[in-house]
Amino acid sequence: MTTPSPSAPTSIGTSIGTSIGTSIVDNNALTSALRTLKLGGMLQTLDARLAQARAGELGHVEFLQVLCLDEISRRETTAIVRRTRRARFEQTVTLEGFDFTANPKLPAAQIRDLAALRWLHAGESVILHGPVGVGKTHIAQALAHQAIRVGAEARFAKTSRILAELAGGHADGTWTRRLRELARPAVLVLDDFAMRELTPTQADDLYELINERVGRSLILTSNRAPLDWYPLFPNPVVAESLLDRLINNSHQLLMAGASYRPRTRPGRVVDQGTTTTR
């Protein structure tokens, strides 16, 4: 029996390196294998990573690790795009794209603190209230997008649209299903909350929705201060039960100052990255 020489491992390593270096690969078979394993995204960066391996920039383990990280990054990006589409935002906006210098009266430090999402992990809510045009809708959507980035599901809608959706459920017998769908996302943004007086049915629907979402976060934007919401409910008992729980479990930010909208009127030059806010 011939004893393998001590240099055998080196020869094997050299052979593997040569295989990668000279790209002795059946591309069709590799493509098929990656797609079978649902790793087709690796093909987008495979050629670039092979070039790095040939140049000696990546060892065998590093080559595999980097290729796997490419796939993870691609999947995370795809998932964010998918969750963002399901959120039904009016605009896909971020906190990075908000011009805090436009209005020194805004609570910038508090808003940036909310970006850490501690409220989301605690199942708490956020109330943004103040006059028209100061950026409430932008911040609400940006906070929801921040939650999407860390894997949470979100949904954005005008409060009037949500009430109409639930009213439609009463009409066609799908109210329970619609309520459950609205209760499912980790973050529900109710834009333009408390715009007008509610009917008894609308008040009851809001009561059921907020009860169904116990433990999940809401983001509300409103032109009225929370204490001014109570008279909008026809039944004081429902108002007290609903709003006391909601308000006392929320981070409340008064967004004051001049309207941002004149800065973005047609014909005015706007700094890149600045968007219209409400």
Side-chain angles (χ1 to χ4, degrees):
M1 178 180 294
T2 304
T3 304
S5 67
S7 61
T10 303
S11 299
I12 294 172
T14 301
S15 175
I16 294 173
T18 302
S19 296
I20 293 179
T22 57
S23 191
I24 303 175
V25 178
D26 183 342
N27 285 332
N28 290 333
L30 178 59
T31 298
S32 177
L34 289 174
R35 286 177 176 163
T36 298
L37 294 170
K38 302 187 185 303
L39 298 172
M42 285 186 175
L43 296 172
Q44 298 175 13
T45 56
L46 180 60
D47 288 342
R49 299 310 184 192
L50 282 171
Q52 288 181 287
R54 294 187 194 106
E57 298 174 10
L58 296 174
H60 306 120
V61 174
E62 290 174 310
F63 171 79
L64 179 59
Q65 182 182 28
V66 171
L67 206 58
C68 288
L69 291 175
D70 289 340
E71 176 68 16
I72 291 170
S73 177
R74 184 193 68 84
R75 290 189 182 192
E76 288 177 345
T77 299
T78 301
I80 289 172
V81 171
R82 186 166 54 247
R83 288 194 296 271
T84 300
R85 185 168 56 249
R86 286 199 294 261
R88 306 179 191 177
F89 293 128
E90 286 186 338
Q91 294 175 298
T92 302
V93 293
T94 63
L95 289 175
E96 295 89 340
F98 188 78
D99 184 8
F100 285 97
T101 64
N103 186 355
K105 292 186 177 181
L106 290 179
Q110 289 176 273
I111 293 170
R112 291 190 174 101
D113 185 61
L114 291 175
L117 302 180
R118 286 183 288 271
W119 53 273
L120 172 64
H121 303 306
E124 298 166 346
S125 296
V126 175
I127 296 173
L128 308 171
H129 62 99
V132 172
V134 292
K136 299 184 298 295
T137 299
H138 183 127
I139 296 300
Q141 292 181 105
L143 288 173
H145 191 269
Q146 193 80 1
I148 283 174
R149 292 187 201 179
V150 300
E153 291 285 345
R155 169 80 187 274
F156 171 90
K158 298 291 185 186
T159 304
S160 59
R161 182 68 60 85
I162 293 293
L163 292 173
E165 189 172 329
L166 290 172
H170 288 298
D172 64 10
T174 61
W175 184 85
T176 299
R177 176 178 60 78
R178 296 185 189 207
L179 181 69
R180 288 174 180 169
E181 288 176 356
L182 292 169
R184 187 176 299 116
V187 179
L188 176 62
V189 181
L190 296 179
D191 195 35
D192 290 338
F193 188 81
M195 285 284 287
R196 57 182 66 88
E197 291 185 8
L198 300 168
T199 67
T201 300
Q202 289 175 332
D204 289 344
D205 283 346
L206 270 179
Y207 177 84
E208 295 297 338
L209 174 59
I210 291 175
N211 274 341
E212 192 74 14
R213 288 192 55 83
V214 169
R216 296 181 180 90
S217 298
L218 290 162
I219 301 178
L220 309 181
T221 73
S222 180
N223 295 337
R224 303 174 190 261
L227 290 179
D228 295 333
W229 296 349
Y230 288 85
L232 302 179
F233 287 77
N235 187 330
V237 176
V238 172
E240 188 69 29
S241 178
L242 186 156
L243 295 178
D244 183 68
R245 178 185 306 170
L246 175 62
I247 291 172
N248 289 316
N249 191 42
S250 299
H251 300 265
Q252 300 177 35
L253 276 70
L254 170 60
M255 297 183 64
S259 173
Y260 185 87
R261 289 174 181 164
R263 292 169 53 89
T264 57
R265 66 178 181 268
R268 184 182 178 90
V269 177
V270 182
D271 293 338
Q272 188 174 3
T274 301
T275 58
T276 304
T277 58
R278 294 202 308 281

PDB file of all heavy atoms in Angstrom, residues 216-246:
ATOM      1  N   ARG A 216     -50.705  45.893  19.199  1.00  0.00           N
ATOM      2  CA  ARG A 216     -50.113  46.302  17.923  1.00  0.00           C
ATOM      3  C   ARG A 216     -50.195  47.824  17.821  1.00  0.00           C
ATOM      4  O   ARG A 216     -51.127  48.445  18.311  1.00  0.00           O
ATOM      5  CB  ARG A 216     -50.836  45.650  16.745  1.00  0.00           C
ATOM      6  CG  ARG A 216     -50.726  44.135  16.718  1.00  0.00           C
ATOM      7  CD  ARG A 216     -51.449  43.577  15.486  1.00  0.00           C
ATOM      8  NE  ARG A 216     -51.365  42.126  15.430  1.00  0.00           N
ATOM      9  CZ  ARG A 216     -52.251  41.309  15.975  1.00  0.00           C
ATOM     10  NH1 ARG A 216     -53.288  41.817  16.627  1.00  0.00           N
ATOM     11  NH2 ARG A 216     -52.120  40.008  15.883  1.00  0.00           N
ATOM     12  N   SER A 217     -49.247  48.400  17.136  1.00  0.00           N
ATOM     13  CA  SER A 217     -49.085  49.855  17.144  1.00  0.00           C
ATOM     14  C   SER A 217     -49.962  50.563  16.120  1.00  0.00           C
ATOM     15  O   SER A 217     -50.217  50.053  15.028  1.00  0.00           O
ATOM     16  CB  SER A 217     -47.620  50.214  16.876  1.00  0.00           C
ATOM     17  OG  SER A 217     -46.781  49.686  17.890  1.00  0.00           O
ATOM     18  N   LEU A 218     -50.385  51.761  16.496  1.00  0.00           N
ATOM     19  CA  LEU A 218     -51.071  52.691  15.605  1.00  0.00           C
ATOM     20  C   LEU A 218     -50.218  53.946  15.469  1.00  0.00           C
ATOM     21  O   LEU A 218     -49.512  54.336  16.403  1.00  0.00           O
ATOM     22  CB  LEU A 218     -52.434  53.089  16.165  1.00  0.00           C
ATOM     23  CG  LEU A 218     -53.545  52.052  16.191  1.00  0.00           C
ATOM     24  CD1 LEU A 218     -54.630  52.484  17.162  1.00  0.00           C
ATOM     25  CD2 LEU A 218     -54.127  51.867  14.796  1.00  0.00           C
ATOM     26  N   ILE A 219     -50.292  54.568  14.299  1.00  0.00           N
ATOM     27  CA  ILE A 219     -49.742  55.912  14.132  1.00  0.00           C
ATOM     28  C   ILE A 219     -50.894  56.773  13.634  1.00  0.00           C
ATOM     29  O   ILE A 219     -51.485  56.503  12.588  1.00  0.00           O
ATOM     30  CB  ILE A 219     -48.580  55.954  13.121  1.00  0.00           C
ATOM     31  CG1 ILE A 219     -47.441  55.037  13.554  1.00  0.00           C
ATOM     32  CG2 ILE A 219     -48.066  57.387  12.968  1.00  0.00           C
ATOM     33  CD1 ILE A 219     -46.275  54.977  12.578  1.00  0.00           C
ATOM     34  N   LEU A 220     -51.251  57.787  14.415  1.00  0.00           N
ATOM     35  CA  LEU A 220     -52.361  58.666  14.067  1.00  0.00           C
ATOM     36  C   LEU A 220     -51.834  60.054  13.738  1.00  0.00           C
ATOM     37  O   LEU A 220     -50.958  60.574  14.441  1.00  0.00           O
ATOM     38  CB  LEU A 220     -53.359  58.779  15.224  1.00  0.00           C
ATOM     39  CG  LEU A 220     -53.878  57.485  15.855  1.00  0.00           C
ATOM     40  CD1 LEU A 220     -54.873  57.818  16.958  1.00  0.00           C
ATOM     41  CD2 LEU A 220     -54.517  56.582  14.822  1.00  0.00           C
ATOM     42  N   THR A 221     -52.363  60.650  12.673  1.00  0.00           N
ATOM     43  CA  THR A 221     -52.087  62.058  12.409  1.00  0.00           C
ATOM     44  C   THR A 221     -53.408  62.811  12.523  1.00  0.00           C
ATOM     45  O   THR A 221     -54.456  62.312  12.098  1.00  0.00           O
ATOM     46  CB  THR A 221     -51.494  62.289  11.002  1.00  0.00           C
ATOM     47  OG1 THR A 221     -52.513  62.116  10.015  1.00  0.00           O
ATOM     48  CG2 THR A 221     -50.346  61.313  10.738  1.00  0.00           C
ATOM     49  N   SER A 222     -53.351  63.994  13.097  1.00  0.00           N
ATOM     50  CA  SER A 222     -54.584  64.752  13.301  1.00  0.00           C
ATOM     51  C   SER A 222     -54.300  66.244  13.359  1.00  0.00           C
ATOM     52  O   SER A 222     -53.250  66.667  13.852  1.00  0.00           O
ATOM     53  CB  SER A 222     -55.263  64.307  14.603  1.00  0.00           C
ATOM     54  OG  SER A 222     -56.459  65.034  14.819  1.00  0.00           O
ATOM     55  N   ASN A 223     -55.247  67.025  12.869  1.00  0.00           N
ATOM     56  CA  ASN A 223     -55.154  68.480  12.995  1.00  0.00           C
ATOM     57  C   ASN A 223     -55.669  68.955  14.345  1.00  0.00           C
ATOM     58  O   ASN A 223     -55.541  70.135  14.674  1.00  0.00           O
ATOM     59  CB  ASN A 223     -55.964  69.166  11.883  1.00  0.00           C
ATOM     60  CG  ASN A 223     -55.399  68.882  10.505  1.00  0.00           C
ATOM     61  OD1 ASN A 223     -54.221  68.564  10.362  1.00  0.00           O
ATOM     62  ND2 ASN A 223     -56.241  68.983   9.487  1.00  0.00           N
ATOM     63  N   ARG A 224     -56.262  68.050  15.123  1.00  0.00           N
ATOM     64  CA  ARG A 224     -56.787  68.381  16.444  1.00  0.00           C
ATOM     65  C   ARG A 224     -55.922  67.742  17.526  1.00  0.00           C
ATOM     66  O   ARG A 224     -55.393  66.642  17.341  1.00  0.00           O
ATOM     67  CB  ARG A 224     -58.223  67.873  16.609  1.00  0.00           C
ATOM     68  CG  ARG A 224     -59.226  68.354  15.587  1.00  0.00           C
ATOM     69  CD  ARG A 224     -60.536  67.642  15.803  1.00  0.00           C
ATOM     70  NE  ARG A 224     -61.493  67.858  14.735  1.00  0.00           N
ATOM     71  CZ  ARG A 224     -62.494  68.732  14.780  1.00  0.00           C
ATOM     72  NH1 ARG A 224     -62.655  69.472  15.869  1.00  0.00           N
ATOM     73  NH2 ARG A 224     -63.325  68.855  13.768  1.00  0.00           N
ATOM     74  N   ALA A 225     -55.836  68.398  18.669  1.00  0.00           N
ATOM     75  CA  ALA A 225     -55.159  67.811  19.818  1.00  0.00           C
ATOM     76  C   ALA A 225     -55.997  66.656  20.355  1.00  0.00           C
ATOM     77  O   ALA A 225     -57.232  66.675  20.258  1.00  0.00           O
ATOM     78  CB  ALA A 225     -54.959  68.867  20.907  1.00  0.00           C
ATOM     79  N   PRO A 226     -55.374  65.622  20.913  1.00  0.00           N
ATOM     80  CA  PRO A 226     -56.125  64.452  21.391  1.00  0.00           C
ATOM     81  C   PRO A 226     -57.272  64.783  22.330  1.00  0.00           C
ATOM     82  O   PRO A 226     -58.326  64.148  22.261  1.00  0.00           O
ATOM     83  CB  PRO A 226     -55.038  63.630  22.093  1.00  0.00           C
ATOM     84  CG  PRO A 226     -53.799  63.956  21.348  1.00  0.00           C
ATOM     85  CD  PRO A 226     -53.912  65.416  21.003  1.00  0.00           C
ATOM     86  N   LEU A 227     -57.110  65.765  23.187  1.00  0.00           N
ATOM     87  CA  LEU A 227     -58.192  66.102  24.119  1.00  0.00           C
ATOM     88  C   LEU A 227     -59.418  66.667  23.400  1.00  0.00           C
ATOM     89  O   LEU A 227     -60.517  66.689  23.967  1.00  0.00           O
ATOM     90  CB  LEU A 227     -57.689  67.104  25.163  1.00  0.00           C
ATOM     91  CG  LEU A 227     -56.682  66.549  26.177  1.00  0.00           C
ATOM     92  CD1 LEU A 227     -56.239  67.635  27.140  1.00  0.00           C
ATOM     93  CD2 LEU A 227     -57.268  65.357  26.936  1.00  0.00           C
ATOM     94  N   ASP A 228     -59.245  67.114  22.158  1.00  0.00           N
ATOM     95  CA  ASP A 228     -60.372  67.650  21.389  1.00  0.00           C
ATOM     96  C   ASP A 228     -61.108  66.559  20.607  1.00  0.00           C
ATOM     97  O   ASP A 228     -62.054  66.857  19.877  1.00  0.00           O
ATOM     98  CB  ASP A 228     -59.877  68.727  20.410  1.00  0.00           C
ATOM     99  CG  ASP A 228     -59.325  69.953  21.132  1.00  0.00           C
ATOM    100  OD1 ASP A 228     -59.771  70.208  22.265  1.00  0.00           O
ATOM    101  OD2 ASP A 228     -58.445  70.632  20.564  1.00  0.00           O
ATOM    102  N   TRP A 229     -60.683  65.317  20.756  1.00  0.00           N
ATOM    103  CA  TRP A 229     -61.339  64.233  20.016  1.00  0.00           C
ATOM    104  C   TRP A 229     -62.637  63.775  20.683  1.00  0.00           C
ATOM    105  O   TRP A 229     -63.534  63.278  20.009  1.00  0.00           O
ATOM    106  CB  TRP A 229     -60.397  63.031  19.895  1.00  0.00           C
ATOM    107  CG  TRP A 229     -59.161  63.286  19.108  1.00  0.00           C
ATOM    108  CD1 TRP A 229     -58.872  64.375  18.325  1.00  0.00           C
ATOM    109  CD2 TRP A 229     -58.006  62.432  19.016  1.00  0.00           C
ATOM    110  NE1 TRP A 229     -57.632  64.265  17.761  1.00  0.00           N
ATOM    111  CE2 TRP A 229     -57.060  63.083  18.169  1.00  0.00           C
ATOM    112  CE3 TRP A 229     -57.674  61.205  19.568  1.00  0.00           C
ATOM    113  CZ2 TRP A 229     -55.831  62.512  17.865  1.00  0.00           C
ATOM    114  CZ3 TRP A 229     -56.445  60.641  19.274  1.00  0.00           C
ATOM    115  CH2 TRP A 229     -55.528  61.290  18.421  1.00  0.00           C
ATOM    116  N   TYR A 230     -62.709  63.929  21.993  1.00  0.00           N
ATOM    117  CA  TYR A 230     -63.843  63.378  22.744  1.00  0.00           C
ATOM    118  C   TYR A 230     -65.202  63.852  22.229  1.00  0.00           C
ATOM    119  O   TYR A 230     -66.121  63.036  22.070  1.00  0.00           O
ATOM    120  CB  TYR A 230     -63.701  63.695  24.233  1.00  0.00           C
ATOM    121  CG  TYR A 230     -62.604  62.906  24.922  1.00  0.00           C
ATOM    122  CD1 TYR A 230     -61.289  63.342  24.906  1.00  0.00           C
ATOM    123  CD2 TYR A 230     -62.890  61.711  25.577  1.00  0.00           C
ATOM    124  CE1 TYR A 230     -60.276  62.614  25.526  1.00  0.00           C
ATOM    125  CE2 TYR A 230     -61.883  60.969  26.207  1.00  0.00           C
ATOM    126  CZ  TYR A 230     -60.579  61.437  26.172  1.00  0.00           C
ATOM    127  OH  TYR A 230     -59.581  60.714  26.775  1.00  0.00           O
ATOM    128  N   PRO A 231     -65.398  65.153  21.959  1.00  0.00           N
ATOM    129  CA  PRO A 231     -66.728  65.613  21.515  1.00  0.00           C
ATOM    130  C   PRO A 231     -67.143  65.072  20.146  1.00  0.00           C
ATOM    131  O   PRO A 231     -68.325  65.196  19.781  1.00  0.00           O
ATOM    132  CB  PRO A 231     -66.565  67.149  21.455  1.00  0.00           C
ATOM    133  CG  PRO A 231     -65.403  67.448  22.329  1.00  0.00           C
ATOM    134  CD  PRO A 231     -64.479  66.282  22.187  1.00  0.00           C
ATOM    135  N   LEU A 232     -66.215  64.492  19.387  1.00  0.00           N
ATOM    136  CA  LEU A 232     -66.537  63.984  18.056  1.00  0.00           C
ATOM    137  C   LEU A 232     -67.280  62.648  18.118  1.00  0.00           C
ATOM    138  O   LEU A 232     -67.828  62.191  17.110  1.00  0.00           O
ATOM    139  CB  LEU A 232     -65.262  63.822  17.229  1.00  0.00           C
ATOM    140  CG  LEU A 232     -64.412  65.087  17.049  1.00  0.00           C
ATOM    141  CD1 LEU A 232     -63.165  64.764  16.235  1.00  0.00           C
ATOM    142  CD2 LEU A 232     -65.214  66.189  16.368  1.00  0.00           C
ATOM    143  N   PHE A 233     -67.306  62.026  19.295  1.00  0.00           N
ATOM    144  CA  PHE A 233     -67.978  60.741  19.468  1.00  0.00           C
ATOM    145  C   PHE A 233     -69.385  60.968  20.006  1.00  0.00           C
ATOM    146  O   PHE A 233     -69.562  61.677  21.009  1.00  0.00           O
ATOM    147  CB  PHE A 233     -67.191  59.854  20.433  1.00  0.00           C
ATOM    148  CG  PHE A 233     -65.921  59.295  19.839  1.00  0.00           C
ATOM    149  CD1 PHE A 233     -64.789  60.085  19.714  1.00  0.00           C
ATOM    150  CD2 PHE A 233     -65.863  57.980  19.403  1.00  0.00           C
ATOM    151  CE1 PHE A 233     -63.615  59.583  19.157  1.00  0.00           C
ATOM    152  CE2 PHE A 233     -64.698  57.465  18.850  1.00  0.00           C
ATOM    153  CZ  PHE A 233     -63.572  58.266  18.727  1.00  0.00           C
ATOM    154  N   PRO A 234     -70.398  60.383  19.387  1.00  0.00           N
ATOM    155  CA  PRO A 234     -71.776  60.599  19.844  1.00  0.00           C
ATOM    156  C   PRO A 234     -72.070  59.982  21.203  1.00  0.00           C
ATOM    157  O   PRO A 234     -72.952  60.457  21.921  1.00  0.00           O
ATOM    158  CB  PRO A 234     -72.623  59.942  18.743  1.00  0.00           C
ATOM    159  CG  PRO A 234     -71.715  58.952  18.093  1.00  0.00           C
ATOM    160  CD  PRO A 234     -70.343  59.544  18.175  1.00  0.00           C
ATOM    161  N   ASN A 235     -71.333  58.944  21.552  1.00  0.00           N
ATOM    162  CA  ASN A 235     -71.539  58.266  22.833  1.00  0.00           C
ATOM    163  C   ASN A 235     -70.346  58.539  23.740  1.00  0.00           C
ATOM    164  O   ASN A 235     -69.247  58.041  23.491  1.00  0.00           O
ATOM    165  CB  ASN A 235     -71.703  56.761  22.607  1.00  0.00           C
ATOM    166  CG  ASN A 235     -72.085  56.022  23.879  1.00  0.00           C
ATOM    167  OD1 ASN A 235     -71.731  56.423  24.981  1.00  0.00           O
ATOM    168  ND2 ASN A 235     -72.811  54.925  23.732  1.00  0.00           N
ATOM    169  N   PRO A 236     -70.500  59.321  24.801  1.00  0.00           N
ATOM    170  CA  PRO A 236     -69.378  59.659  25.684  1.00  0.00           C
ATOM    171  C   PRO A 236     -68.731  58.434  26.320  1.00  0.00           C
ATOM    172  O   PRO A 236     -67.520  58.434  26.576  1.00  0.00           O
ATOM    173  CB  PRO A 236     -70.015  60.553  26.754  1.00  0.00           C
ATOM    174  CG  PRO A 236     -71.256  61.079  26.123  1.00  0.00           C
ATOM    175  CD  PRO A 236     -71.746  59.991  25.219  1.00  0.00           C
ATOM    176  N   VAL A 237     -69.513  57.388  26.553  1.00  0.00           N
ATOM    177  CA  VAL A 237     -68.954  56.176  27.168  1.00  0.00           C
ATOM    178  C   VAL A 237     -67.984  55.499  26.212  1.00  0.00           C
ATOM    179  O   VAL A 237     -66.890  55.074  26.598  1.00  0.00           O
ATOM    180  CB  VAL A 237     -70.082  55.209  27.581  1.00  0.00           C
ATOM    181  CG1 VAL A 237     -69.491  53.908  28.117  1.00  0.00           C
ATOM    182  CG2 VAL A 237     -70.977  55.858  28.621  1.00  0.00           C
ATOM    183  N   VAL A 238     -68.379  55.403  24.940  1.00  0.00           N
ATOM    184  CA  VAL A 238     -67.491  54.820  23.921  1.00  0.00           C
ATOM    185  C   VAL A 238     -66.241  55.676  23.775  1.00  0.00           C
ATOM    186  O   VAL A 238     -65.120  55.161  23.695  1.00  0.00           O
ATOM    187  CB  VAL A 238     -68.221  54.696  22.565  1.00  0.00           C
ATOM    188  CG1 VAL A 238     -67.249  54.273  21.460  1.00  0.00           C
ATOM    189  CG2 VAL A 238     -69.361  53.692  22.663  1.00  0.00           C
ATOM    190  N   ALA A 239     -66.428  56.997  23.743  1.00  0.00           N
ATOM    191  CA  ALA A 239     -65.288  57.907  23.609  1.00  0.00           C
ATOM    192  C   ALA A 239     -64.300  57.727  24.758  1.00  0.00           C
ATOM    193  O   ALA A 239     -63.085  57.631  24.547  1.00  0.00           O
ATOM    194  CB  ALA A 239     -65.776  59.353  23.558  1.00  0.00           C
ATOM    195  N   GLU A 240     -64.812  57.685  25.957  1.00  0.00           N
ATOM    196  CA  GLU A 240     -63.944  57.551  27.130  1.00  0.00           C
ATOM    197  C   GLU A 240     -63.210  56.225  27.116  1.00  0.00           C
ATOM    198  O   GLU A 240     -61.991  56.163  27.371  1.00  0.00           O
ATOM    199  CB  GLU A 240     -64.785  57.674  28.402  1.00  0.00           C
ATOM    200  CG  GLU A 240     -63.962  57.732  29.687  1.00  0.00           C
ATOM    201  CD  GLU A 240     -63.186  59.020  29.815  1.00  0.00           C
ATOM    202  OE1 GLU A 240     -63.634  60.054  29.289  1.00  0.00           O
ATOM    203  OE2 GLU A 240     -62.111  58.983  30.453  1.00  0.00           O
ATOM    204  N   SER A 241     -63.910  55.149  26.807  1.00  0.00           N
ATOM    205  CA  SER A 241     -63.304  53.820  26.807  1.00  0.00           C
ATOM    206  C   SER A 241     -62.226  53.703  25.741  1.00  0.00           C
ATOM    207  O   SER A 241     -61.142  53.177  25.983  1.00  0.00           O
ATOM    208  CB  SER A 241     -64.379  52.757  26.595  1.00  0.00           C
ATOM    209  OG  SER A 241     -63.805  51.473  26.555  1.00  0.00           O
ATOM    210  N   LEU A 242     -62.524  54.208  24.545  1.00  0.00           N
ATOM    211  CA  LEU A 242     -61.588  54.083  23.428  1.00  0.00           C
ATOM    212  C   LEU A 242     -60.398  55.030  23.566  1.00  0.00           C
ATOM    213  O   LEU A 242     -59.243  54.625  23.491  1.00  0.00           O
ATOM    214  CB  LEU A 242     -62.341  54.349  22.126  1.00  0.00           C
ATOM    215  CG  LEU A 242     -61.616  54.139  20.796  1.00  0.00           C
ATOM    216  CD1 LEU A 242     -62.636  53.884  19.691  1.00  0.00           C
ATOM    217  CD2 LEU A 242     -60.764  55.339  20.408  1.00  0.00           C
ATOM    218  N   LEU A 243     -60.695  56.304  23.767  1.00  0.00           N
ATOM    219  CA  LEU A 243     -59.642  57.317  23.728  1.00  0.00           C
ATOM    220  C   LEU A 243     -58.750  57.283  24.962  1.00  0.00           C
ATOM    221  O   LEU A 243     -57.544  57.556  24.867  1.00  0.00           O
ATOM    222  CB  LEU A 243     -60.257  58.697  23.546  1.00  0.00           C
ATOM    223  CG  LEU A 243     -60.980  58.908  22.212  1.00  0.00           C
ATOM    224  CD1 LEU A 243     -61.589  60.307  22.156  1.00  0.00           C
ATOM    225  CD2 LEU A 243     -60.027  58.688  21.041  1.00  0.00           C
ATOM    226  N   ASP A 244     -59.313  56.964  26.113  1.00  0.00           N
ATOM    227  CA  ASP A 244     -58.478  56.897  27.312  1.00  0.00           C
ATOM    228  C   ASP A 244     -57.391  55.846  27.147  1.00  0.00           C
ATOM    229  O   ASP A 244     -56.226  56.083  27.458  1.00  0.00           O
ATOM    230  CB  ASP A 244     -59.348  56.582  28.532  1.00  0.00           C
ATOM    231  CG  ASP A 244     -58.533  56.585  29.820  1.00  0.00           C
ATOM    232  OD1 ASP A 244     -58.069  57.665  30.218  1.00  0.00           O
ATOM    233  OD2 ASP A 244     -58.359  55.501  30.413  1.00  0.00           O
ATOM    234  N   ARG A 245     -57.756  54.690  26.618  1.00  0.00           N
ATOM    235  CA  ARG A 245     -56.784  53.626  26.404  1.00  0.00           C
ATOM    236  C   ARG A 245     -55.774  54.019  25.320  1.00  0.00           C
ATOM    237  O   ARG A 245     -54.562  53.816  25.471  1.00  0.00           O
ATOM    238  CB  ARG A 245     -57.506  52.345  25.991  1.00  0.00           C
ATOM    239  CG  ARG A 245     -56.578  51.171  25.700  1.00  0.00           C
ATOM    240  CD  ARG A 245     -57.366  49.985  25.177  1.00  0.00           C
ATOM    241  NE  ARG A 245     -58.450  49.617  26.081  1.00  0.00           N
ATOM    242  CZ  ARG A 245     -59.406  48.746  25.778  1.00  0.00           C
ATOM    243  NH1 ARG A 245     -59.411  48.165  24.593  1.00  0.00           N
ATOM    244  NH2 ARG A 245     -60.349  48.465  26.654  1.00  0.00           N
ATOM    245  N   LEU A 246     -56.272  54.609  24.232  1.00  0.00           N
ATOM    246  CA  LEU A 246     -55.403  54.966  23.115  1.00  0.00           C
ATOM    247  C   LEU A 246     -54.428  56.072  23.490  1.00  0.00           C
ATOM    248  O   LEU A 246     -53.211  55.964  23.264  1.00  0.00           O
ATOM    249  CB  LEU A 246     -56.267  55.404  21.929  1.00  0.00           C
ATOM    250  CG  LEU A 246     -55.526  55.943  20.698  1.00  0.00           C
ATOM    251  CD1 LEU A 246     -54.623  54.879  20.104  1.00  0.00           C
ATOM    252  CD2 LEU A 246     -56.529  56.434  19.662  1.00  0.00           C
TER     253      LEU A 246
END
